Amino acid sequence: MLYLVSYDIVDTSQRTRLAKRLLNFGKRVQYSVFECQLEPQQLEQMKQQALPFVDLEQDSLRLYRLCENCAASVESFGVKKGWEAEDTLVV
């Protein structure tokens, strides 16, 4: 399943650590937005690794699950390429 992951983290060091963790699960398509192709187990693993960097009182982490039809209809303009079906990601 394709997930769009976005975050808004106040603390710079926590934000940097979170971004490094998310690189293990997907592609960065904007500064605080990742596209991740995940199986259910990988999704849980990503959440376990990401949540320690999120202060629930002032930060946000959002996960949007995109159905196959929605993922196929994503349009992208500019230099950043998102996830593509032929991409392989080893976690």
Side-chain angles (χ1 to χ4, degrees):
M1 184 68 60
L2 182 62
Y3 288 84
L4 184 71
V5 180
S6 69
Y7 57 87
D8 186 6
I9 307 294
V10 174
D11 183 89
T12 300
S13 64
Q14 294 294 79
R15 186 172 54 248
T16 300
R17 289 183 182 113
L18 174 60
K20 287 181 181 180
R21 293 296 189 291
L22 292 176
L23 284 171
N24 293 323
F25 295 96
K27 285 189 174 182
R28 183 180 233 154
V29 293
Q30 296 204 356
Y31 287 117
S32 60
V33 180
F34 284 75
E35 289 180 359
C36 305
Q37 182 69 30
L38 303 170
E39 297 295 328
Q41 180 181 357
Q42 293 169 312
L43 174 63
E44 291 307 313
Q45 185 180 18
M46 183 186 70
K47 287 194 277 188
Q48 287 177 359
Q49 290 186 27
L51 285 174
F53 301 102
V54 179
D55 179 337
L56 300 178
E57 298 296 319
Q58 62 182 358
D59 299 333
S60 70
L61 174 67
R62 300 178 67 90
L63 309 173
Y64 299 90
R65 185 175 67 181
L66 300 178
C67 69
E68 190 173 323
N69 288 336
C70 296
S73 67
V74 171
E75 293 184 80
S76 177
F77 306 94
V79 296
K80 290 281 186 173
K81 238 178 89 175
W83 181 88
E84 294 182 8
E86 65 272 3
D87 290 346
T88 301
L89 182 65
V90 178
V91 177

